[in-house]
Amino acid sequence: PRIGLISDYTGGTRLSDVLARVESSGQSLSPGAAVFVIKEILDGLADLHRENGDLSHGALAPERIVLAEGRVRIADYVLGAAIEQLRFSTERYWKERRVVVPASAGSARLDRRVDVAQVVMIAIALFAGRPLRESEHIGGLGDVMASTALASPIRSWLLKALHMDPRRVFVNAAEASQSFDEAMSEAGLRPAPRDLHLQNAPAPKPAPTSSSKSAQPLRAAPPTPVRIA
């Protein structure tokens, strides 16, 4: 398969909308649904990272993950390069843009390691079954982690990918995905896409697609400029 970066629009439901609906309904996402979404994001991101050693998304969040027809799509791929120029602090990136930047990244470099940490924040929201709060930035996850039922291998994977120990981090999504496979196996978890129950979800506004995998070559298009207020 080949991966292409395209400036296009796709239908579907943003993951942020799914999490908000799950929380408001009092329901929960099954662990199988959560690991399905996480694994799909990691694998798509791994393809992106393989294309170029310096290529990264930089702004992964539930608002920029689109679920449609049983597939997971990464949207708004041009956003990371734009917001990197803001040079915000770690806390300000989270509060104003909901973008996770570990302190270990240094100079707010939104690189492949940061991509992995951003996927983990999405994973924590999935396991918690709700959007993360403003106070639940990368240094304020104690309560949500303590209140979320997590198998020990999954918890260990989350902590490693969040750069909690700078000596043990994943340098790209391929490493993180392989390690996540091992954690799932050890925890006895399997991806369960049918548990998402998205067939009755309302149609949102289309979102720009970041990356997709296809047997057919994709026509590349120049990035769409992003205006930051």
Side-chain angles (χ1 to χ4, degrees), residues 28-40:
S28 61
L29 286 173
S30 73
V35 298
F36 165 72
V37 176
I38 297 164
K39 181 61 177 171
E40 288 291 295

PDB file of all heavy atoms in Angstrom, residues 28-40:
ATOM      1  N   SER A  28     -20.285   3.657  27.814  1.00  0.00           N
ATOM      2  CA  SER A  28     -18.829   3.551  27.817  1.00  0.00           C
ATOM      3  C   SER A  28     -18.374   2.841  26.559  1.00  0.00           C
ATOM      4  O   SER A  28     -19.129   2.087  25.940  1.00  0.00           O
ATOM      5  CB  SER A  28     -18.345   2.786  29.055  1.00  0.00           C
ATOM      6  OG  SER A  28     -18.870   1.469  29.058  1.00  0.00           O
ATOM      7  N   LEU A  29     -17.156   3.112  26.174  1.00  0.00           N
ATOM      8  CA  LEU A  29     -16.549   2.395  25.052  1.00  0.00           C
ATOM      9  C   LEU A  29     -15.928   1.110  25.569  1.00  0.00           C
ATOM     10  O   LEU A  29     -15.306   1.101  26.627  1.00  0.00           O
ATOM     11  CB  LEU A  29     -15.467   3.254  24.394  1.00  0.00           C
ATOM     12  CG  LEU A  29     -15.922   4.436  23.535  1.00  0.00           C
ATOM     13  CD1 LEU A  29     -14.711   5.258  23.109  1.00  0.00           C
ATOM     14  CD2 LEU A  29     -16.682   3.956  22.312  1.00  0.00           C
ATOM     15  N   SER A  30     -16.082   0.050  24.835  1.00  0.00           N
ATOM     16  CA  SER A  30     -15.460  -1.208  25.244  1.00  0.00           C
ATOM     17  C   SER A  30     -13.949  -1.109  25.047  1.00  0.00           C
ATOM     18  O   SER A  30     -13.471  -0.350  24.198  1.00  0.00           O
ATOM     19  CB  SER A  30     -16.009  -2.369  24.420  1.00  0.00           C
ATOM     20  OG  SER A  30     -15.500  -2.326  23.093  1.00  0.00           O
ATOM     21  N   PRO A  31     -13.163  -1.865  25.825  1.00  0.00           N
ATOM     22  CA  PRO A  31     -11.716  -1.878  25.600  1.00  0.00           C
ATOM     23  C   PRO A  31     -11.364  -2.284  24.166  1.00  0.00           C
ATOM     24  O   PRO A  31     -10.406  -1.768  23.594  1.00  0.00           O
ATOM     25  CB  PRO A  31     -11.215  -2.917  26.610  1.00  0.00           C
ATOM     26  CG  PRO A  31     -12.231  -2.896  27.706  1.00  0.00           C
ATOM     27  CD  PRO A  31     -13.543  -2.672  27.010  1.00  0.00           C
ATOM     28  N   GLY A  32     -12.167  -3.189  23.585  1.00  0.00           N
ATOM     29  CA  GLY A  32     -11.904  -3.600  22.212  1.00  0.00           C
ATOM     30  C   GLY A  32     -12.072  -2.470  21.217  1.00  0.00           C
ATOM     31  O   GLY A  32     -11.301  -2.347  20.257  1.00  0.00           O
ATOM     32  N   ALA A  33     -13.088  -1.622  21.423  1.00  0.00           N
ATOM     33  CA  ALA A  33     -13.285  -0.461  20.561  1.00  0.00           C
ATOM     34  C   ALA A  33     -12.137   0.523  20.719  1.00  0.00           C
ATOM     35  O   ALA A  33     -11.637   1.081  19.737  1.00  0.00           O
ATOM     36  CB  ALA A  33     -14.611   0.215  20.885  1.00  0.00           C
ATOM     37  N   ALA A  34     -11.717   0.728  21.966  1.00  0.00           N
ATOM     38  CA  ALA A  34     -10.621   1.665  22.229  1.00  0.00           C
ATOM     39  C   ALA A  34      -9.331   1.212  21.555  1.00  0.00           C
ATOM     40  O   ALA A  34      -8.664   2.009  20.882  1.00  0.00           O
ATOM     41  CB  ALA A  34     -10.416   1.814  23.738  1.00  0.00           C
ATOM     42  N   VAL A  35      -8.972  -0.055  21.716  1.00  0.00           N
ATOM     43  CA  VAL A  35      -7.699  -0.503  21.138  1.00  0.00           C
ATOM     44  C   VAL A  35      -7.772  -0.548  19.623  1.00  0.00           C
ATOM     45  O   VAL A  35      -6.753  -0.381  18.942  1.00  0.00           O
ATOM     46  CB  VAL A  35      -7.252  -1.864  21.718  1.00  0.00           C
ATOM     47  CG1 VAL A  35      -7.012  -1.768  23.212  1.00  0.00           C
ATOM     48  CG2 VAL A  35      -8.230  -2.973  21.386  1.00  0.00           C
ATOM     49  N   PHE A  36      -8.974  -0.758  19.064  1.00  0.00           N
ATOM     50  CA  PHE A  36      -9.110  -0.704  17.605  1.00  0.00           C
ATOM     51  C   PHE A  36      -8.739   0.676  17.085  1.00  0.00           C
ATOM     52  O   PHE A  36      -7.943   0.811  16.143  1.00  0.00           O
ATOM     53  CB  PHE A  36     -10.544  -1.048  17.184  1.00  0.00           C
ATOM     54  CG  PHE A  36     -10.853  -0.664  15.759  1.00  0.00           C
ATOM     55  CD1 PHE A  36     -10.314  -1.374  14.699  1.00  0.00           C
ATOM     56  CD2 PHE A  36     -11.677   0.427  15.485  1.00  0.00           C
ATOM     57  CE1 PHE A  36     -10.582  -1.006  13.387  1.00  0.00           C
ATOM     58  CE2 PHE A  36     -11.947   0.801  14.176  1.00  0.00           C
ATOM     59  CZ  PHE A  36     -11.406   0.077  13.132  1.00  0.00           C
ATOM     60  N   VAL A  37      -9.307   1.719  17.680  1.00  0.00           N
ATOM     61  CA  VAL A  37      -9.025   3.077  17.222  1.00  0.00           C
ATOM     62  C   VAL A  37      -7.552   3.419  17.428  1.00  0.00           C
ATOM     63  O   VAL A  37      -6.895   3.985  16.538  1.00  0.00           O
ATOM     64  CB  VAL A  37      -9.922   4.095  17.948  1.00  0.00           C
ATOM     65  CG1 VAL A  37      -9.550   5.525  17.545  1.00  0.00           C
ATOM     66  CG2 VAL A  37     -11.392   3.832  17.629  1.00  0.00           C
ATOM     67  N   ILE A  38      -7.014   3.074  18.585  1.00  0.00           N
ATOM     68  CA  ILE A  38      -5.610   3.369  18.874  1.00  0.00           C
ATOM     69  C   ILE A  38      -4.696   2.695  17.865  1.00  0.00           C
ATOM     70  O   ILE A  38      -3.771   3.311  17.319  1.00  0.00           O
ATOM     71  CB  ILE A  38      -5.247   2.913  20.301  1.00  0.00           C
ATOM     72  CG1 ILE A  38      -6.056   3.696  21.330  1.00  0.00           C
ATOM     73  CG2 ILE A  38      -3.745   3.083  20.561  1.00  0.00           C
ATOM     74  CD1 ILE A  38      -6.059   3.063  22.714  1.00  0.00           C
ATOM     75  N   LYS A  39      -4.950   1.428  17.604  1.00  0.00           N
ATOM     76  CA  LYS A  39      -4.106   0.677  16.677  1.00  0.00           C
ATOM     77  C   LYS A  39      -4.187   1.235  15.264  1.00  0.00           C
ATOM     78  O   LYS A  39      -3.171   1.328  14.560  1.00  0.00           O
ATOM     79  CB  LYS A  39      -4.533  -0.801  16.699  1.00  0.00           C
ATOM     80  CG  LYS A  39      -3.722  -1.709  15.782  1.00  0.00           C
ATOM     81  CD  LYS A  39      -2.248  -1.731  16.137  1.00  0.00           C
ATOM     82  CE  LYS A  39      -1.510  -2.708  15.223  1.00  0.00           C
ATOM     83  NZ  LYS A  39      -0.041  -2.602  15.384  1.00  0.00           N
ATOM     84  N   GLU A  40      -5.391   1.619  14.830  1.00  0.00           N
ATOM     85  CA  GLU A  40      -5.542   2.205  13.495  1.00  0.00           C
ATOM     86  C   GLU A  40      -4.778   3.524  13.376  1.00  0.00           C
ATOM     87  O   GLU A  40      -4.132   3.784  12.354  1.00  0.00           O
ATOM     88  CB  GLU A  40      -7.028   2.426  13.202  1.00  0.00           C
ATOM     89  CG  GLU A  40      -7.814   1.156  12.950  1.00  0.00           C
ATOM     90  CD  GLU A  40      -7.440   0.492  11.656  1.00  0.00           C
ATOM     91  OE1 GLU A  40      -7.686   1.101  10.596  1.00  0.00           O
ATOM     92  OE2 GLU A  40      -6.896  -0.630  11.696  1.00  0.00           O
TER      93      GLU A  40
END
